[in-house]
């Protein structure tokens, strides 16, 4: 590599990064195929929590854990045995134990409220915590946690066709997201919404496991969903978890970057369901080289609200913690590359105060971004990488109702 001219070297580096991404997906599919028989109960019964993440109320891994279903897998057959919601689990006093780093950023909230277990983007930690909460409240002990969101359900509906949900509207690919995250708040009360979410998720998966579908189409859906971090899985069995730990399916940032990676994770601070109306974009620009081999990365995140100025129900506007029930408060957490640091933060061109903490070898900065209907806010954060002269970077972010618009602007590698 060192003998190549700069332009060729940079092109090879970029190509390797793209191949690594493709390899990650195909590797995950291969490992998934090998793990699938025991996961589906070929070696004995298994049980899982199927958790529906609700991006209308954002959390770092995708959305609030609202509804869940207990699935039992035996001999390759999967059936629903129980349903519930986070509200059924109530709060925990004293709080359940959480990691020290998460506690410094979020206090005891993840250990108190089931809907807050995933304020940090570490899905294995959130899944283990939620599993323990369900066990303590219901006596049900499961072998793992599978999380999906309504967008995944819409992708699957495109393969299996419309699904009828008991005591609720039917779901179709083109309208499922709107039905689950908008219409249901208009037509159902809070308790019925949780039940509907659980039945919707279990209904789609039940159809998936009982209907003959085109395997190629199904693989495309799963590959897309895993790539977008909309399907996450954690197993209580350490050997299975190790097999998936370095894939996107695991839902965690790597302990050490192969390419400098910036994480942008979102948490609702409104106590509302306004996430349905938020649109996000992000650009990472690789900047100056430092004498010690570090590089500056300039991150630009925009938040735009499409929410109306009136007409939303109380189930959408919720607690209105921002002071105005139509203003969305979003806590934007920026995680630096491993060994990196946060240098500056500006909101709409002005210096802004940010909370700070750590996530392993990454520094974390948290900004409060409040967005009124029709408004666009811009958060600019400059971070420093670890000691790498790489001219490429990668961006990882919370999946939201609509896809982010993202761009990484690369630069020539630093001379070593």
């Amino acid at each position: 590599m060192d003998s190549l001219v700069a332009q060729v070297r940079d092109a090879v580096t970029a190509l390797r990064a793209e191949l690594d991404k493709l390899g990650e997906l195909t590797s995950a599919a291969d490992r998934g195929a090998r793990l699938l028989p025991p996961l589906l109960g070929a070696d004995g019964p298994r049980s899982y929590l199927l958790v529906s993440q609700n991006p209308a109320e954002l959390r770092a891994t995708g959305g609030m854990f609202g509804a869940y279903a207990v699935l039992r897998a035996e001999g390759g057959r999967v059936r629903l045995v129980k349903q519930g919601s986070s509200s059924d689990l109530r709060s925990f006093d004293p709080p359940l134990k959480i990691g020290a780093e998460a506690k410094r950023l979020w206090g005891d909230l993840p250990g108190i409220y089931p809907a807050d277990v995933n304020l940090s983007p570490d899905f294995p930690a959130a899944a283990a915590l939620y599993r323990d909460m369900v066990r303590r409240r219901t006596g049900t002990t499961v072998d793992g946690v599978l999380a999906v969101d309504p967008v995944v359900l819409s992708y699957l509906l495109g393969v299996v066709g419309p699904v009828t949900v008991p005591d609720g509207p039917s779901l179709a690919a083109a309208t499922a997201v709107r039905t689950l995250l908008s219409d249901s708040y208009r037509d159902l009360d809070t308790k019925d919404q949780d039940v509907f979410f659980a039945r919707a998720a279990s209904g789609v998966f039940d159809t998936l496991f009982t209907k003959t579908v085109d395997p190629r189409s199904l693989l495309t859906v799963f590959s897309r969903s895993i790539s977008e971090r909309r399907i996450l899985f954690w197993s209580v069995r350490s050997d299975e978890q190790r097999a998936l730990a370095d894939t996107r399916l695991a839902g965690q940032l790597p302990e050490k970057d192969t390419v400098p990676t910036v994480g942008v994770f979102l948490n609702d601070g409104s106590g509302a369901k306004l996430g349905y109306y938020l649109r996000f974009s992000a650009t990472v620009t690789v900047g100056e080289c430092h004498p010690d081999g570090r590089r500056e990365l300039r991150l630009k995140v925009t938040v735009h609200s499409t929410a109306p100025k009136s007409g939303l129900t109380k189930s959408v506007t919720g607690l209105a913690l921002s002071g105005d029930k139509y203003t969305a408060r979003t806590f934007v957490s920026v995680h630096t590359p491993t060994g990196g640091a946060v240098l500056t933060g500006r909101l709409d061109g002005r210096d802004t105060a940010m909370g700070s903490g750590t996530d392993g070898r990454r520094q974390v900065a948290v900004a409060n971004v409040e967005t009124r209907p029709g408004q666009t806010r811009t958060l600019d954060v400059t971070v420093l990488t670890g000691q790498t002269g790489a001219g490429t970077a990668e961006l990882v972010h919370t999946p939201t109702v609509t896809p982010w618009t993202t761009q990484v602007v690369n630069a020539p590698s630093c001379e070593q």
Side-chain angles (χ1 to χ4, degrees):
M1 284 286 288
D2 291 339
S3 62
L4 299 176
V5 297
Q7 293 91 334
V8 175
R9 183 173 63 246
D10 293 338
V12 170
T13 300
L15 177 60
R16 283 182 174 175
E18 292 302 315
L19 289 175
D20 285 344
K21 294 178 185 177
L22 178 61
E24 179 182 316
L25 289 177
T26 57
S27 176
D30 175 66
R31 278 177 276 191
R34 286 185 283 111
L35 288 173
L36 200 56
L39 290 174
L40 292 179
D43 301 330
R46 297 282 190 97
S47 59
Y48 304 100
L49 290 178
L50 173 62
V51 177
S52 179
Q53 295 202 83
N54 185 347
E57 187 167 342
L58 287 163
R59 296 292 186 273
T61 64
M64 179 188 73
F65 286 10
Y68 71 87
V70 180
L71 303 179
R72 183 175 175 84
E74 188 170 5
R77 297 179 63 86
V78 180
R79 60 188 176 90
L80 171 69
V81 296
K82 185 185 295 186
Q83 292 177 308
S85 71
S86 292
S87 59
D88 295 335
L89 304 177
R90 306 184 305 279
S91 60
F92 289 80
D93 185 16
L96 275 61
K97 185 177 180 181
I98 61 174
E101 292 179 324
K103 187 171 183 176
R104 279 193 289 271
L105 281 167
W106 306 109
D108 285 317
L109 290 175
I112 297 174
Y113 300 106
D116 287 339
V117 295
N118 54 340
L119 288 171
S120 292
D122 185 346
F123 180 73
L129 189 58
Y130 197 76
R131 171 183 181 266
D132 193 24
M133 289 178 171
V134 171
R135 179 188 63 81
R136 290 172 183 245
R137 289 289 187 249
T138 70
T140 299
T141 301
V142 298
D143 298 291
V145 178
L146 173 68
V148 299
D149 71 7
V151 179
V152 172
L153 300 186
S154 74
Y155 295 164
L156 290 172
L157 288 165
V159 175
V160 304
V163 169
T164 300
V165 181
D167 300 320
S170 61
L171 295 178
T175 57
V177 173
R178 188 189 70 215
T179 299
L180 289 165
L181 300 182
S182 179
D183 296 350
S184 66
Y185 293 110
R186 180 193 64 213
D187 301 333
L188 303 173
D189 62 32
T190 302
K191 182 65 176 179
D192 289 339
Q193 289 162 10
D194 290 338
V195 172
F196 177 55
F197 289 164
R199 287 178 176 172
S202 60
V204 172
F205 275 82
D206 182 61
T207 302
L208 175 65
F209 284 115
T210 57
K211 186 175 182 179
T212 301
V213 298
D214 175 35
R216 182 174 298 178
S217 298
L218 192 60
L219 179 60
T220 299
V221 165
F222 281 126
S223 294
R224 179 181 181 181
S225 300
I226 292 170
S227 177
E228 295 175 1
R229 297 177 179 263
R230 296 186 185 278
I231 296 179
L232 303 174
F233 178 73
W234 170 78
S235 173
V236 72
R237 304 188 183 213
S238 57
D239 57 332
E240 294 174 352
Q241 188 59 27
R242 281 195 302 270
L244 296 172
D246 61 347
T247 71
R248 297 187 183 192
L249 196 62
Q252 59 185 165
L253 290 170
E255 291 185 12
K256 184 178 181 180
D257 291 338
T258 54
V259 174
T261 301
V262 177
V264 181
F265 302 106
L266 310 171
N267 283 294
D268 170 73
S270 313
K273 301 296 189 293
L274 294 170
Y276 177 77
Y277 299 98
L278 296 179
R279 305 292 181 263
F280 298 89
S281 66
T283 300
V284 175
T285 303
V286 179
E288 299 176 1
C289 300
H290 286 225
D292 62 358
R294 295 183 165 204
R295 296 198 75 143
E296 289 187 7
L297 301 179
R298 295 187 291 274
L299 169 69
K300 178 180 180 180
V301 178
T302 64
V303 184
H304 175 72
S305 174
T306 66
K309 295 181 180 180
S310 63
L312 295 178
T313 64
K314 181 67 164 56
S315 61
V316 177
T317 58
L319 300 177
L321 297 177
S322 66
D324 169 25
K325 61 183 180 180
Y326 290 92
T327 295
R329 173 185 288 171
T330 308
F331 296 124
V332 180
S333 301
V334 176
H335 293 233
T336 72
T338 53
V342 178
L343 299 181
T344 63
R346 297 172 68 83
L347 182 60
D348 296 337
R350 297 182 179 181
D351 291 343
T352 186
M354 295 191 293
S356 62
T358 57
D359 178 9
R361 296 182 57 211
R362 303 174 192 272
Q363 284 194 12
V364 181
V366 183
N368 175 14
V369 180
E370 298 190 353
T371 313
R372 300 188 305 273
Q375 187 180 26
T376 300
R377 307 297 303 274
T378 302
L379 177 68
D380 292 288
V381 180
T382 301
V383 304
L384 202 59
T385 70
Q387 292 184 336
T388 174
T392 60
E394 186 172 352
L395 177 66
V396 176
H397 57 78
T398 297
T400 51
V401 174
T402 57
W404 290 51
T405 301
T406 62
Q407 182 181 17
V408 176
V409 180
N410 295 320
S413 298
C414 300
E415 294 295 332
Q416 301 297 312

